[in-house]
Amino acid sequence: MPNKITKKLKRFACLIAVTAFTASSAYADGVKVGFIGSLSSDAGLSALRGAQIAIDELNAAGGFNGEPIEYVKADTREDVTEGIKAYEYLAESEEVDFILSGSIDDVSLGWLPRMKEFRIPTLDTWTSYIGIIDMVIEDYEGMKTYFMNVASDEALATLYVDFGRDILAKKMGWDSVVILHEDTAFGGAINGLVSELLAPESGIEVLDTIVYDTATVDFSPIFNRAVDTGADFIYLISSVNSQVVSSQYTKLQVPKAMTGVNVAALGQEYWEDTGGEGGGISTLSPVPSVGFALDPASQEFVNTYTAKYGDSRPRFPHFNGFNAYWGIKQAFAAAKDAGGFDPDAWPQEMLKQDIKLEKDGEIWLRYGFWQPGEVEERTGRTYPHNIKFDITPPYDNGAPSMVVIQWYENGETAVIYPPKYATGEFAVPSWVK
Amino acid sequence: MLQILIQGLLLSGLYALIAVGFTLIFSVGRVLNLAYGAYLVIGGYVYFYFAQSLGLPKPLVMAMAVVCGCLVGVLKYRLIVKPLKGNHVAVEISTLILAVVIQAGIVLLFKDSPKILHPIVSGVWRVGGATITFNILTAAVSSWLIFGGLYLFVRKTHTGRAMEAVSMDTKGAVISGIRPDRINLITWGYIWRLGCNCRGIFCELYPAFPGYVGCAVNHCGCGGYRGWYRFDLGYLAGGPYYWIHGNYFNLFDRR
Amino acid sequence: MTNPTKKYLLLWAIFIAVMLLLPEFVSKGTLRTIIFANFLAIFAISWDVLSGRTGYISFGHPFLIGIGAYTSAILSYRFDMPIELSIPLAVLTTTIGGTLFFLPALRLKGSYFALVTLAFMELMYQLVQVIRPDLTGGTRGMSGIETITRGAVNNYYLSFALMVTIAISMWLLMRTRFGSALSAIGMNEESVRGSGLSTTKLKLAAFMTSAFIAGLGGAFYVHYLGSIAPRALFDINFLFTIIVSALIGGAATIIGPMFGALFLTILLEALRPILPGVERYLIYGSIALIVYMFKPQGLVVLVLDTLDKLRSIISSRS
């Protein structure tokens, strides 16, 4: 009888020991990735799904340290306070090791103080705000767990200036522009960069600058004022509700060509949202974009994406879907070398990551990072922890910071600049004489 | 300047039409309907989904918007306004909560990017330096027609006069044999119809997106809180409001 | 109980003791949620002092909170002013500035007052972006504002201390004749005036108290968040949570707004793991609507009613 009891006790002790062991090992080795972003925007979902595909692939290959990678998501609804709550949830309720973000500018700025407090390695795939890179420069110790793998907005202006010189000035023979920009920090910043560089570098004079409110529903007075300036073309800078301004451009048949920055037109859904009335414009776009010829590795990612998510919006990943996919791969490669997501060791290894994606034997896309103190020649400044972009033609040292894409009136798209990536020609709408 | 004048002239009618819908409820029920903006938006999404995504004929979809609007308006009156009768604050707050619920519902169904609606009548007319779309012209004419109809309805029909009576003095109306309850119901249903009508008419002008729920609350708030039977005043308020709104960039141009 | 005040004081003491021990029992993540609930409770109490009592529904409280938050943020972030100085200045600015704006509006009644205050919120949203964006940070706001303390536990104690101090002060204030006069305005303003009291002065005092709390809450809030953006503050959803907290808990009480804030904040966070997407807001809003429709007087009344019923069942059995 006593023997039976001891047996039972032994078995019980064993069970506890096993449970305790598995529990502690899961705690020590299992890695949790958190997603922060809007679960109802195309950009947010692109990042969410891109990361999901990367994590699935990593798990299929054995996970991290032999343990499957867990993935949890926290919705920001593109709301700043909700973003802070979401970051806290990931950090303190879910205790994630790494955070992937698909946040927009003010939401990222909202949770950044939390990132500094918790020191969680965080990768941003959507916001391109140069101010955050400036924060990395000013407070490197505090900000070193932060990485941004989309080219910051200062870099895009330089590419546009080249486009203006090569295509708008040389090919089209235009020498004057009217700038139409939304009343946001983004609009103001891009306007500053473009109008400062456009005249001296491409010989295009800025005749007028019109600022409009993002809640504007009727653009006819604004377009009329723009046409009255007599400029050769309109340069639009719009990141909020951009479908509205470009669809009204089409509906009103504004007799001037319009190019610039239209954030809505960066995704395939633009055509559906505008009901097919948004053609005839061109916009700067981060890479890879709509109309972008893909390298085989990225194409494979797109195939997986469309097979998995092809029947719900966004059916085709936005640029930050690619960033999330490659970013997760790099974050885990860095974690492998750093022995985990330690806030001091991981950034060192992340900075060494460099994926060069080739197409037809030349560098097509590149996921690497600017090192602290490394100066970009053309702008003469540093971009620590920002994606390594190349803004000097012929872009043989990496991916261009941006490309210019064209939406034709029949709904087709093409990259029109720089020439290395071009799949089509710059076109003015049929109603412009 | 010519453009601003023409636009103001054409659009003020539409803005006033929205304002009248809002004030109708306010004066009859003495309650701010804070979900009114959401009504306008729903009309737009009905149009976008059925006419543009499914490709059903436009007149049919307009009728659908009206019927569906009426139905939801009546439902809302039955389920929310009537049980809380007499408690104005409770009704106002319920409409505020309802606005948030509708907004979440719309984002759930359509995601958060704006949707552009096709014009009902396409084409552009250029006069001097001004551009007028046929759509706005049609919308302006329609809104005037609706105004006329509304005026006749209020002045000439029994229901209309009853509405006016309830709005002036509820107790007095009861004594003279009017059931304020019924009038309220009619008004709420009617508002929906009106709201969705407006929506359908200038769907082209108003890109439907969820943010407008909040926005439209303000639109209506600024446009007209005067009594609905004084809709001429509401009309006057609509004009300058558009002028300020449409030319915001001029006032705050900070180059 | 012979002395009701003693009973209430005992209840306060129990409540404080429980809340002080809370960090021992719940996770840091839960504490973070309660921190937000504490701030929301402060805003809801502030709203209730004016609107819950007098019946003047303010849709402009984000405007007041925004003045407090932005003033302290600008002073400390742009001008390196110590927080000990920037917060009192922010509270002062909110009380004075808010009063200047609201004074004309207080002459309006009922829904008209609500509409005008709603316009203030919208106005502030636009102005913050346009006027001196070099100070306000424009649409992107400011990030990296000095925080008072770090960590979930410290911030929990700080926010709780602030909330409970405000709550008890208001509880005491509302037990005075001033409090009764405000409630009387809510019931019938004419008769209060008829009894020889100046309703304008009373309303003004109520408003200034409300603005004072809003400014205080806003200033501490921004130094908790560490960042500020116009979209975070001057937003219809923020307004919605403040008003609904006060009403769903029970207007014209102190425990009501506190309870409502806790209920709404925890409800929203509890739904997160189950419904990560926008469905969460749909369910959250629907629950709020149903609860409110079911008991417009608030959850506190619901709880008291249930207790009464239980008591009568028990007494009838015995």
Side-chain angles (χ1 to χ4, degrees):
Chain A
M1 222 34 182
N3 197 20
K4 218 175 183 180
I5 292 171
T6 22
K7 248 187 189 171
K8 265 191 179 172
L9 271 175
K10 266 186 187 168
R11 211 179 275 168
F12 186 64
C14 271
L15 201 73
I16 285 179
V18 168
T19 326
F21 177 74
T22 43
S24 67
S25 65
Y27 206 71
D29 293 326
V31 163
K32 226 177 197 183
V33 174
F35 168 82
I36 186 167
S38 167
L39 297 182
S40 35
S41 75
D42 294 331
L45 286 171
S46 292
L48 176 81
R49 294 167 173 181
Q52 179 74 61
I53 291 172
I55 289 169
D56 288 349
E57 289 180 10
L58 287 169
N59 278 338
F64 185 71
N65 286 348
E67 292 283 335
I69 302 159
E70 250 192 278
Y71 189 34
V72 286
K73 50 191 172 182
D75 187 19
T76 62
R77 212 180 45 159
E78 295 198 350
D79 178 285
V80 185
T81 314
E82 279 304 313
I84 297 170
K85 285 188 192 171
Y87 203 97
E88 287 175 349
Y89 168 78
L90 291 175
E92 296 205 306
S93 292
E94 294 288 349
E95 298 183 339
V96 299
D97 301 276
F98 171 74
I99 292 178
L100 184 106
S101 154
S103 307
I104 56 175
D105 293 6
D106 55 357
V107 177
S108 280
L109 286 166
W111 54 247
L112 270 172
R114 291 293 178 277
M115 187 210 73
K116 283 165 83 170
E117 183 176 337
F118 300 129
R119 303 190 80 215
I120 298 176
T122 304
L123 176 71
D124 240 335
T125 61
W126 200 95
T127 179
S128 62
Y129 181 38
I130 186 73
I132 302 180
I133 297 302
D134 288 336
M135 284 163 76
V136 177
I137 297 172
E138 283 158 24
D139 176 19
Y140 189 73
E141 224 13 68
M143 289 287 292
K144 72 178 176 188
T145 55
Y146 181 87
F147 283 80
M148 182 198 280
N149 76 353
V150 57
S152 55
D153 45 25
E154 211 189 56
L156 73 85
T158 49
L159 186 105
Y160 191 81
V161 170
D162 293 348
F163 171 67
R165 182 194 57 220
D166 293 350
I167 305 289
L168 303 178
K170 278 191 194 153
K171 194 170 161 215
M172 306 300 293
W174 293 341
D175 55 17
S176 61
V177 63
V178 49
I179 295 179
L180 205 65
H181 80 79
E182 66 182 12
D183 193 2
T184 62
F186 177 80
I190 302 298
N191 173 44
L193 294 165
V194 169
S195 49
E196 195 179 303
L197 293 171
L198 213 49
E201 296 212 10
S202 34
I204 294 171
E205 190 194 352
V206 180
L207 294 185
D208 198 2
T209 306
I210 302 170
V211 187
Y212 70 89
D213 184 71
T214 50
T216 308
V217 286
D218 180 13
F219 280 89
S220 41
I222 298 169
F223 280 129
N224 277 313
R225 196 176 138 192
V227 171
D228 288 344
T229 59
D232 288 326
F233 67 101
I234 298 168
Y235 186 88
L236 172 78
I237 306 165
S238 169
S239 68
V240 181
N241 303 335
S242 316
Q243 292 95 334
V244 181
V245 56
S246 52
S247 68
Q248 291 212 2
Y249 169 78
T250 309
K251 277 177 206 161
L252 293 166
Q253 306 204 336
V254 178
K256 289 265 183 258
M258 187 164 83
T259 172
V261 186
N262 185 315
V263 172
L266 306 184
Q268 299 280 12
E269 291 72 29
Y270 172 74
W271 202 247
E272 182 192 324
D273 288 346
T274 56
E277 297 214 3
I281 59 144
S282 52
T283 172
L284 272 171
S285 171
V287 286
S289 65
V290 295
F292 192 85
L294 291 169
D295 60 90
S298 301
Q299 185 59 51
E300 204 172 306
F301 160 67
V302 168
N303 294 345
T304 315
Y305 183 101
T306 46
K308 194 168 179 183
Y309 303 109
D311 48 1
S312 76
R313 261 184 94 130
R315 291 175 186 86
F316 190 91
H318 287 212
F319 65 88
N320 65 325
F322 293 85
N323 296 348
Y325 175 77
W326 292 114
I328 288 282
K329 292 279 175 90
Q330 291 190 314
F332 275 90
K336 203 175 172 194
D337 294 338
F341 288 94
D342 178 78
D344 294 307
W346 180 83
Q348 292 300 321
E349 296 303 324
M350 189 65 172
L351 277 171
K352 291 179 196 157
Q353 299 303 314
D354 198 353
I355 294 178
K356 288 174 178 163
L357 300 166
E358 292 188 357
K359 184 174 180 288
D360 304 328
E362 50 182 342
I363 289 190
W364 201 250
L365 285 175
R366 182 175 176 186
Y367 284 92
F369 294 99
W370 289 99
Q371 307 295 315
E374 188 180 359
V375 176
E376 199 285 322
E377 280 177 18
R378 188 158 171 198
T379 56
R381 60 161 288 170
T382 61
Y383 297 88
H385 293 211
N386 191 196
I387 193 172
K388 180 115 184 180
F389 48 81
D390 185 0
I391 48 177
T392 320
Y395 315 102
D396 48 3
N397 191 30
S401 63
M402 297 273 156
V403 291
V404 181
I405 60 168
Q406 172 86 40
W407 278 92
Y408 297 103
E409 282 170 75
N410 59 5
E412 285 174 12
T413 52
V415 170
I416 50 169
Y417 191 86
K420 176 181 168 185
Y421 294 90
T423 54
E425 292 273 318
F426 175 68
V428 294
S430 54
W431 61 83
V432 176
K433 282 157 197 113
Chain B
M1 198 59 209
L2 178 69
Q3 176 81 38
I4 291 165
L5 279 177
I6 293 175
Q7 292 282 332
L9 213 61
L10 292 177
L11 288 174
S12 50
L14 290 177
Y15 278 96
L17 202 58
I18 307 177
V20 164
F22 187 73
T23 49
L24 259 171
I25 295 182
F26 182 60
S27 51
V28 174
R30 290 283 154 212
V31 161
L32 290 178
N33 177 18
L34 295 170
Y36 186 63
Y39 294 10
L40 297 177
V41 173
I42 286 185
Y45 275 98
V46 165
Y47 187 86
F48 175 80
Y49 182 71
F50 288 103
Q52 255 161 257
S53 296
L54 297 186
L56 297 182
K58 285 175 191 175
L60 179 71
V61 176
M62 298 265 284
M64 280 167 72
V66 171
V67 172
C68 134
C70 246
L71 202 72
V72 185
V74 169
L75 271 182
K76 185 187 158 187
Y77 178 75
R78 285 280 183 218
L79 296 179
I80 294 179
V81 182
K82 208 177 163 208
L84 293 173
K85 199 112 198 18
N87 188 346
H88 288 177
V89 173
V91 174
E92 280 173 14
I93 301 305
S94 308
T95 56
L96 179 69
I97 306 178
L98 189 71
V100 172
V101 173
I102 293 178
Q103 192 176 3
I106 289 172
V107 175
L108 188 64
L109 289 174
F110 293 96
K111 300 278 186 285
D112 65 356
S113 64
K115 305 277 182 283
I116 305 299
L117 304 178
H118 286 167
I120 291 174
V121 188
S122 48
V124 186
W125 187 28
R126 287 182 218 281
V127 205
T131 314
I132 301 162
T133 58
F134 290 157
N135 203 50
I136 291 179
L137 209 60
T138 318
V141 172
S142 313
S143 64
W144 277 105
L145 286 176
I146 293 176
F147 259 134
L150 186 63
Y151 183 80
L152 290 177
F153 172 73
V154 168
R155 294 283 160 180
K156 306 287 174 198
T157 68
H158 179 72
T159 317
R161 282 201 297 265
M163 278 163 78
E164 191 167 6
V166 172
S167 113
M168 284 169 175
D169 181 0
T170 313
K171 279 175 194 155
V174 175
I175 294 166
S176 58
I178 292 166
R179 286 169 54 205
D181 214 46
R182 206 182 126 68
I183 295 306
N184 261 313
L185 175 67
I186 292 173
T187 317
W188 283 82
Y190 183 76
I191 283 325
W192 264 90
R193 207 158 59 221
L194 189 70
C196 293
N197 255 334
C198 293
R199 189 67 230 175
I201 292 163
F202 60 95
C203 49
E204 180 262 350
L205 192 71
Y206 262 86
F209 64 96
Y212 261 98
V213 175
C215 233
V217 168
N218 290 339
H219 274 226
C220 304
C222 300
Y225 43 80
R226 295 160 218 272
W228 60 276
Y229 47 90
R230 305 287 302 276
F231 59 74
D232 48 341
L233 275 180
Y235 176 73
L236 288 177
Y241 179 65
Y242 166 70
W243 196 86
I244 293 165
H245 186 77
N247 296 282
Y248 199 77
F249 62 98
N250 277 340
L251 296 175
F252 293 103
D253 198 334
R254 54 190 172 85
R255 255 174 299 147
Chain C
M1 291 271 173
T2 45
N3 190 341
T5 313
K6 247 185 198 165
K7 178 182 147 187
Y8 284 125
L9 283 176
L10 186 71
L11 285 175
W12 275 116
I14 295 171
F15 171 66
I16 292 172
V18 168
M19 292 299 270
L20 286 181
L21 288 173
L22 205 62
E24 300 295 324
F25 303 104
V26 302
S27 72
K28 282 182 181 171
T30 313
L31 285 184
R32 290 282 183 183
T33 307
I34 301 176
I35 294 171
F36 274 102
N38 285 339
F39 279 108
L40 184 57
I42 295 171
F43 302 143
I45 291 174
S46 157
W47 184 85
D48 190 65
V49 167
L50 177 70
S51 303
R53 307 271 164 179
T54 66
Y56 278 74
I57 302 297
S58 156
F59 283 158
H61 260 65
F63 167 81
L64 295 172
I65 295 160
I67 296 181
Y70 263 101
T71 309
S72 193
I74 290 171
L75 289 177
S76 73
Y77 186 74
R78 304 279 180 207
F79 300 105
D80 295 321
M81 188 183 276
I83 295 180
E84 301 83 47
L85 207 59
S86 74
I87 292 180
L89 276 174
V91 176
L92 195 71
T93 316
T94 314
T95 319
I96 296 173
T99 310
L100 286 179
F101 263 91
F102 272 63
L103 203 54
L106 275 173
R107 299 170 61 90
L108 298 169
K109 273 197 183 162
S111 307
Y112 299 100
F113 177 76
L115 278 177
V116 170
T117 50
L118 185 65
F120 282 156
M121 181 180 86
E122 187 59 22
L123 186 73
M124 190 71 177
Y125 175 69
Q126 302 285 358
L127 288 183
V128 157
Q129 299 175 44
V130 175
I131 293 180
R132 296 298 301 269
D134 54 322
L135 287 183
T136 63
T139 43
R140 284 188 182 117
M142 287 169 265
S143 181
I145 297 161
E146 196 181 339
T147 50
I148 299 170
T149 176
R150 283 188 155 205
V153 179
N154 290 346
N155 274 304
Y156 167 75
Y157 282 126
L158 179 69
S159 64
F160 177 68
L162 184 70
M163 190 273 284
V164 90
T165 312
I166 290 173
I168 293 181
S169 321
M170 283 308 112
W171 180 66
L172 291 173
L173 185 68
M174 288 307 143
R175 293 173 72 82
T176 61
R177 289 184 54 206
F178 172 64
S180 331
L182 291 188
S183 298
I185 292 181
M187 287 169 205
N188 193 334
E189 193 170 344
E190 295 303 314
S191 59
V192 176
R193 195 176 297 142
S195 67
L197 290 168
S198 162
T199 53
T200 314
K201 274 186 189 159
L202 280 169
K203 282 187 289 182
L204 186 64
F207 177 77
M208 287 177 79
T209 315
S210 179
F212 178 85
I213 303 170
L216 192 65
F220 271 93
Y221 189 51
V222 76
H223 290 295
Y224 167 64
L225 295 178
S227 59
I228 190 172
R231 279 203 314 130
L233 284 175
F234 311 113
D235 179 62
I236 197 116
N237 285 317
F238 185 49
L239 171 71
F240 161 85
T241 5
I242 295 171
I243 297 181
V244 175
S245 307
L247 291 174
I248 217 169
T253 62
I254 296 297
I255 185 87
M258 287 162 60
F259 194 59
L262 205 61
F263 174 76
L264 282 185
T265 317
I266 290 183
L267 174 66
L268 190 60
E269 278 307 302
L271 287 170
R272 191 192 287 280
I274 317 162
L275 299 167
V278 73
E279 305 90 345
R280 196 158 66 106
Y281 294 92
L282 193 72
I283 302 295
Y284 159 81
S286 307
I287 292 177
L289 187 61
I290 291 165
V291 169
Y292 184 64
M293 292 282 304
F294 181 65
K295 206 81 192 169
Q297 299 93 332
L299 287 169
V300 171
V301 176
L302 184 70
V303 172
L304 289 179
D305 283 357
T306 320
L307 282 179
D308 275 349
K309 263 182 203 162
L310 281 176
R311 216 173 280 157
S312 64
I313 290 170
I314 291 165
S315 61
S316 70
R317 282 213 182 141
S318 63

